[in-house]
Amino acid sequence: MEVEGTRDDLPKPGALEAHELEVLGLVAVAAGQADRALVLHSRPESEQLAAFQTVSSACESGVLIESHDRTWSFSDESVRAAIVERLGPAKRAALNLAVAQGFEGRDGGITEKNAKYLAHHYVGAVPLVSGEQAASYCLSAGKLLNDRDEHEAARKVVESGMELIGRSKISRLQADLLAELSRSMLATLEVWSQHETTGVMEAAMNAYAELGDIDAALEIAGRPLPALHGQDATVGFLERASSLAEERLEDSTLIKIRLARAYLLERADKKSAMVTVNSAIDQAIALGREDYRLRGLAARAFISVYALDAEAANADASYVLSRSTSDPERLAELDACESMVSVGMLNGDLDLVYSIGERMAAAGERTSNQLHTTLGEMVMGRSRLSAGDLNEAEYHLERTHRLQSKWPIPIVLLAYIAFQTGHKEAYERWLEMINQLELPASDPNRLAVGFSPTTVWAGMLLDLGQLTGDDDLVTRARLIIEPPKLGTGMPLQQMVAMEPAAKIAIIDNDTTTIARLDAEYGALFGGKPPWWVLDTVALLAVHSGDRTRGERILRYGIRYCEQRGMRLMTLGLSKTLLGLPGRSGNSPAKASVALARRAIDTANEIGVVAGLDTIHSVLQRSGRSRFGQGEQESLTDRERQVVECIARGMSNRQIAAELVISPYTVDSHVRNLLIKLGVATRAEAAQKWARLNGD
């Protein structure tokens, strides 16, 4: 069997589906029209079908047929030799594909009998009389189709091949074909499920092992395949690989490190993950391989992060980072960086998160790994965003976007920044990009705990929709967010899964789901959940009927974030507390007024001018100016400029042109200065400003 030629050498699709055209065109070749086979692809469908039926009937009966004033016999060896000579390697490879499709019995394709006939008489192949030979054709065809991006057709052929593999004794040819097919599938992992890919890889590994070629089997086992949460596909594959590598400690050590991660992500089995990774670390020490030991420690830190054990994760990851030069490939360093980012987030140490992001980006630049450079930039951007340094956050997130223009998270966060800082044109530009993103109706790699990687940014999209009052964004987020499977997964997995679902339940006032999620958060974290979910947990408590607990959580969060310089988070938690439902009366409590004043100060410091209506409402209802006799000193420099323009009778648009800022930003400054001056209208503000300046 020959599998030769490049993708560009193969016939191009025409009016029919690719697999139908392939069969029709190649039947034409077999009928003696090798130099005209491709022409058939461009003919009307009726002509193609007529040609197929004519040749198919001839194959079935073995009779003579006429073609272009010549008579061809399907039993004439001279005809066979002439056609083989004219086919060339690419068409012979494609004819193998047609044979496999015919064997599969696809509707509209050639029959199994005709496939055998064509294979035997016109390309010199052995008749398809056994499952072993049929399986080989299917595997070969599956790889060809996958390499040509005809993935659905490839999937059907591969399924047939894998079924046939189990019916016959394995051959070296089949093992090699399985290995080639698995490599092709790994290169297009986004279109193959984890089960499909690992199934082919495990079949290849077992085939080599059965043939006694352990080196080839372990080469398959060493190929990178990310473990996906809840898929439970990689565990079995790596367990088999680990048993094959039992006598080869170096191979065994690396496989166990991967297996430990798979236990964690696919089965949420922390115990098996820890036992396996500790065994790998012990083997690395016995081998004297410090690089392997570091990779094991990095994996153990990763496991601790998912269990929300920041102390243990910090101990292992810090050691790895201090010794990273002992690993020439620097794989342990990058893994440890990811764990340390989580440690910093769990501990509220944004400076640590930023410094690790810098290290990741630098490591990515050093190793020409764009993915790690991009991740480093995004880590830096998100840490600066939480800190309220919006300009620097925007800088790093824009760099992230330039490196990976299709990643949705930086686009959503940049829209969030633009809206909050009043840059309307920038917001509309990012919003347009969001609207162009293709949202998956379902994720083939959904995680066991009910969330997928898209759920993370869908939660951000939901936040943006609520902030801006854009119902379309909220609706789009709903299309992705799915109810979590409570009680499954590691604590970190559950936390990520529950937050967006909780926000949807609160919007919908779904009391049943609210009560379930409130209880689940309580079981996971007690009274002190991680800071980035405090507002959600507090609102769950309030909507469950326990307002006192909700307020206590928010006040704790505000103190926590203020102490750590998380200004944007402080502002957000303050808005949540001030906006809790159920408050009555026209005059807010002194504590609320004081909190609102601090929140306005924070907003001014970091440049947030939008989404402050709740805070303005509290201050306006207080009926008092912000600083009594110190109104003039309380205004920021920009607010002074704005009120001076108001005193000169200028409109918001004129002020925007004068100060080179957007009208939207001017409007926000006007609202702030009205509150600070204790007045209700622009005219009153102008009059009071004149009095304060002695005019």
Side-chain angles (χ1 to χ4, degrees), residues 394-421:
E394 186 176 44
Y395 168 78
H396 289 296
L397 290 170
E398 284 182 343
R399 283 177 59 85
T400 304
H401 176 64
R402 285 196 294 272
L403 288 166
Q404 294 287 349
S405 61
K406 293 184 179 181
W407 280 17
I409 288 179
I411 296 174
V412 175
L413 293 179
L414 284 164
Y416 183 85
I417 293 171
F419 181 84
Q420 295 230 86
T421 54

Side-chain angles (χ1 to χ4, degrees), residues 75-102:
S75 60
D76 190 339
E77 286 295 316
S78 64
V79 174
R80 170 189 169 279
I83 294 176
V84 169
E85 181 179 350
R86 297 169 77 180
L87 276 175
K91 292 189 180 70
R92 284 202 298 275
L95 187 50
N96 283 340
L97 184 154
V99 170
Q101 292 169 334

Side-chain angles (χ1 to χ4, degrees), residues 575-587:
K575 286 163 54 179
T576 301
L577 180 56
L578 293 170
L580 286 180
R583 289 192 179 278
S584 60
N586 294 323
S587 181

Side-chain angles (χ1 to χ4, degrees), residues 67-127:
S67 175
H68 296 279
D69 301 323
R70 293 190 61 182
T71 301
W72 303 92
S73 168
F74 274 67
S75 60
D76 190 339
E77 286 295 316
S78 64
V79 174
R80 170 189 169 279
I83 294 176
V84 169
E85 181 179 350
R86 297 169 77 180
L87 276 175
K91 292 189 180 70
R92 284 202 298 275
L95 187 50
N96 283 340
L97 184 154
V99 170
Q101 292 169 334
F103 186 87
E104 188 187 15
R106 178 181 283 117
D107 292 339
I110 54 181
T111 65
E112 176 181 342
K113 180 179 178 181
N114 292 341
K116 295 178 182 179
Y117 194 96
L118 289 173
H120 180 62
H121 289 286
Y122 294 101
V123 291
V126 178

Side-chain angles (χ1 to χ4, degrees), residues 265-483:
L265 294 178
E266 296 191 355
R267 294 185 179 174
D269 185 349
K270 180 188 175 185
K271 181 178 179 181
S272 294
M274 277 296 187
V275 168
T276 304
V277 78
N278 285 333
S279 174
I281 292 169
D282 290 342
Q283 287 181 193
I285 293 171
L287 288 166
R289 292 294 301 264
E290 179 66 5
D291 54 341
Y292 286 10
R293 176 172 175 254
L294 292 176
R295 293 181 201 181
L297 291 171
R300 194 166 69 184
F302 178 82
I303 295 167
S304 298
V305 162
Y306 269 70
L308 299 181
D309 187 345
E311 185 176 353
N314 183 50
D316 283 334
S318 296
Y319 180 82
V320 171
L321 293 179
S322 70
R323 301 289 300 276
S324 60
T325 54
S326 299
D327 180 7
E329 297 181 54
R330 309 301 279 267
L331 297 176
E333 176 185 19
L334 294 170
D335 286 346
C337 280
E338 292 183 19
S339 294
M340 284 300 285
V341 167
S342 297
V343 168
M345 292 292 286
L346 289 170
N347 291 334
D349 189 344
L350 295 182
D351 289 338
L352 173 62
V353 173
Y354 185 86
S355 66
I356 295 299
E358 280 187 309
R359 184 162 181 167
M360 290 175 73
E365 293 284 355
R366 185 173 59 249
T367 59
S368 299
N369 188 322
Q370 188 184 69
L371 175 61
H372 284 104
T373 302
T374 309
L375 287 172
E377 290 290 346
M378 189 157 70
V379 165
M380 288 188 280
R382 293 188 68 178
S383 71
R384 292 302 90 194
L385 180 60
S386 296
D389 191 342
L390 302 187
N391 288 333
E392 190 168 357
E394 186 176 44
Y395 168 78
H396 289 296
L397 290 170
E398 284 182 343
R399 283 177 59 85
T400 304
H401 176 64
R402 285 196 294 272
L403 288 166
Q404 294 287 349
S405 61
K406 293 184 179 181
W407 280 17
I409 288 179
I411 296 174
V412 175
L413 293 179
L414 284 164
Y416 183 85
I417 293 171
F419 181 84
Q420 295 230 86
T421 54
H423 293 95
K424 190 173 183 180
E425 291 181 1
Y427 172 71
E428 290 176 349
R429 184 174 69 252
W430 294 119
L431 181 61
E432 183 179 357
M433 292 186 193
I434 290 172
N435 290 331
Q436 291 173 353
L437 292 171
E438 294 184 8
L439 305 187
S442 62
D443 192 327
N445 293 321
R446 252 185 56 115
L447 314 188
V449 290
F451 75 99
S452 70
T454 52
T455 302
V456 176
W457 74 267
M460 297 178 181
L461 193 65
L462 179 64
D463 290 341
L464 180 63
Q466 290 186 281
L467 173 68
T468 60
D470 189 332
D471 291 338
D472 288 340
L473 292 180
V474 173
T475 300
R476 296 189 80 205
R478 285 176 179 271
L479 296 175
I480 307 173
I481 298 168
E482 300 186 42

